[in-house]
Amino acid sequence: MRVGIGYDIHRLVEGRPLYLGGVEIPYPKGLLGHSDGDVVLHAISDALLGAAGLPDIGELFPDTDPAYSNMDSRKILMQTVDLVHRAGFRILSLDAVIICEMPKLLPYKAQIKEKIRSLIDYPCHVNLKGKTNEGLGELGQGEAIACLAVAILGDME
C-alpha cells in the first residue's frame, strides 16, 4: 500500500462560480485560479500523484501553460486517475477535509462524494469532512477555501 497527501488553497473572488469536488455550489464568490480553482479535486489529485510517486499537478498541469487556462478540474482528476492506473496502482481510499467558513458544506457533502466516486470510475472509499478555521487567518475571514486530502493506493490486481 502507498499513501499520499495533497493540499490546495485558493482565494475567493466575485464573478466566478464556486466548484468544490466537481459540484457547482451556489455562492456569491468562486475560487480564483488558473483552472476553475476546485481545491478539493486539486488536493485529491496531488494526494493520488504523491502516493503513486508521480509529479504533482503543478508539474503536470502548469499554470504557465495557456492550454490549462480555466481548465475543468474534473479533467485534472480523471487524467490523474489514468496516470495512477498506468503506474500500476488502484485507489483504495480517499479522505478530504475542506476548510472554509462559508458556504456551509453539509447540504452538499453527499453530492460531492458521489461526484468524486463517479470521476474516479473505480470502486473505492471516499470520505469528506467540512471544517471552519474558527475565524482565524484568511480562511477564517472567509477570504479563501483550502482542502487537505489523503489517498491510499494498492497494487493493481
Side-chain angles (χ1 to χ4, degrees):
M1 290 196 335
R2 310 276 293 278
V3 176
I5 299 171
Y7 174 80
D8 198 28
I9 184 170
H10 285 281
R11 183 171 306 283
L12 283 163
V13 296
E14 292 184 16
R16 285 184 61 110
L18 176 60
Y19 292 100
L20 295 173
V23 174
E24 187 171 354
I25 308 293
Y27 195 64
K29 295 181 178 181
L31 294 168
L32 181 62
H34 185 68
S35 67
D36 63 15
D38 190 326
V39 294
V40 177
L41 298 186
H42 295 177
I44 288 172
S45 294
D46 266 339
L48 290 167
L49 291 165
L54 298 169
D56 63 33
I57 63 172
E59 288 182 62
L60 297 173
F61 308 97
D63 62 6
T64 55
D65 187 336
Y68 303 118
S69 180
N70 293 315
M71 184 174 189
D72 184 332
S73 294
R74 294 175 296 184
K75 292 179 183 177
I76 292 172
L77 179 59
M78 289 185 293
Q79 289 179 26
T80 296
V81 169
D82 184 54
L83 290 170
V84 167
H85 288 165
R86 285 192 285 157
F89 300 104
R90 63 189 173 102
I91 303 165
L92 300 176
S93 183
L94 296 171
D95 191 20
V97 179
I98 305 170
I99 306 157
C100 67
E101 297 300 309
M102 293 296 286
K104 295 300 181 190
L105 300 176
L106 185 59
Y108 309 103
K109 280 174 56 176
Q111 186 180 1
I112 293 170
K113 285 166 59 171
E114 187 53 41
K115 176 60 76 176
I116 292 167
R117 281 189 198 100
S118 74
L119 293 170
I120 291 171
D121 194 31
Y122 192 87
C124 78
H125 175 76
V126 176
N127 193 39
L128 185 68
K129 296 171 292 298
K131 300 290 180 187
T132 69
N133 220 39
E134 300 294 327
L136 300 173
E138 290 179 331
L139 290 169
Q141 297 300 312
E143 297 174 15
I145 296 178
C147 185
L148 179 65
V150 175
I152 299 175
L153 305 180
D155 290 331
M156 194 65 90
E157 294 180 38

